[in-house]
Amino acid sequence: MALLTAETFRLQFNNKRRLRRPYYPRKALLCYQLTPQNGSTPTRGYFENKKKCHAEICFINEIKSMGLDETQCYQVTCYLTWSPCSSCAWELVDFIKAHDHLNLRIFASRLYYHWCKPQQDGLRLLCGSQVPVEVMGFPDSRGTCAGSLHGYIV
């Protein structure tokens, strides 16, 4: 799977409140890393929203299609430009409950409609289901923030 360009990454994962002109549409992107606990090479990829399929659902479908060994444990880390909407939060929880060999962590650049109760409930559901959701911070003096996104961009 192709990686994001550095420019796409810089524009889309920017979590500043105010943007300078020219403005650009903020896309919903999900970058992931699937790491087998046996030390094998991690699998990386990304998805963006499609017309009738959010990036989270595309991600779930991709992981299901991989035919992962259910006797093997996997760490899955997702980096999202927006936190999951409430319906995607439910889908992610159902997916993780059905696949107990997966351990999912989510880092979001921005919170999606965080002032709306359904979105708050979705985030609470994820956290209550052992799926931590963290908001990425601004880059520190070394240029890094929560989680490591190196390797997702070209």
Side-chain angles (χ1 to χ4, degrees), residues 7 35 58 60 73 85 92 98 103-104 108 117 119 123-124 126 130 133 145 147 154:
E7 180 68 6
T35 307
C58 296
I60 289 171
C73 292
C85 70
L92 286 165
N103 182 19
L104 176 63
K117 185 169 178 358
Q119 308 314 330
L123 292 173
R124 281 190 200 99
L126 284 165
Q130 308 307 310
V133 179
C145 58
V154 288

Side-chain angles (χ1 to χ4, degrees), residues 1-36:
M1 179 177 276
L3 300 177
L4 294 175
T5 66
E7 180 68 6
T8 299
F9 174 80
R10 185 184 66 75
L11 289 173
Q12 296 301 324
F13 279 87
N14 178 347
N15 60 5
K16 293 181 181 175
R17 286 178 166 251
R18 301 192 189 272
L19 300 174
R20 293 186 195 149
R21 290 187 183 184
Y23 298 117
Y24 55 90
R26 290 186 168 184
K27 297 180 180 180
L29 296 170
L30 179 151
C31 297
Y32 73 92
Q33 177 170 303
L34 174 75
T35 307

Side-chain angles (χ1 to χ4, degrees), residues 29-154:
L29 296 170
L30 179 151
C31 297
Y32 73 92
Q33 177 170 303
L34 174 75
T35 307
Q37 296 297 321
N38 68 5
S40 298
T41 305
T43 302
R44 293 179 175 154
Y46 81 93
F47 296 97
E48 62 182 284
N49 281 5
K50 295 181 180 177
K51 279 191 177 185
K52 295 191 178 201
C53 190
H54 284 186
E56 296 89 341
I57 306 308
C58 296
F59 162 75
I60 289 171
N61 292 337
E62 175 70 13
I63 299 297
K64 285 180 179 177
S65 74
M66 289 180 174
L68 298 174
D69 179 357
E70 293 190 15
T71 64
Q72 166 91 5
C73 292
Y74 300 85
Q75 174 66 47
V76 185
T77 305
C78 291
Y79 300 93
L80 291 88
T81 51
W82 295 98
S83 61
C85 70
S86 59
S87 62
C88 286
W90 279 97
E91 293 290 335
L92 286 165
V93 166
D94 288 344
F95 174 69
I96 288 301
K97 284 183 178 177
H99 298 84
D100 60 357
H101 61 292
L102 300 176
N103 182 19
L104 176 63
R105 293 183 60 193
I106 296 174
F107 294 96
S109 180
R110 298 176 292 277
L111 294 175
Y112 179 74
Y113 289 103
H114 59 88
W115 56 87
C116 296
K117 185 169 178 358
Q119 308 314 330
Q120 293 170 2
D121 292 344
L123 292 173
R124 281 190 200 99
L125 176 70
L126 284 165
C127 292
S129 299
Q130 308 307 310
V131 179
V133 179
E134 296 182 44
V135 177
M136 291 184 266
F138 290 109
D140 60 21
S141 60
R142 296 168 296 167
T144 60
C145 58
S148 175
L149 287 164
H150 300 290
Y152 292 94
I153 55 176
V154 288

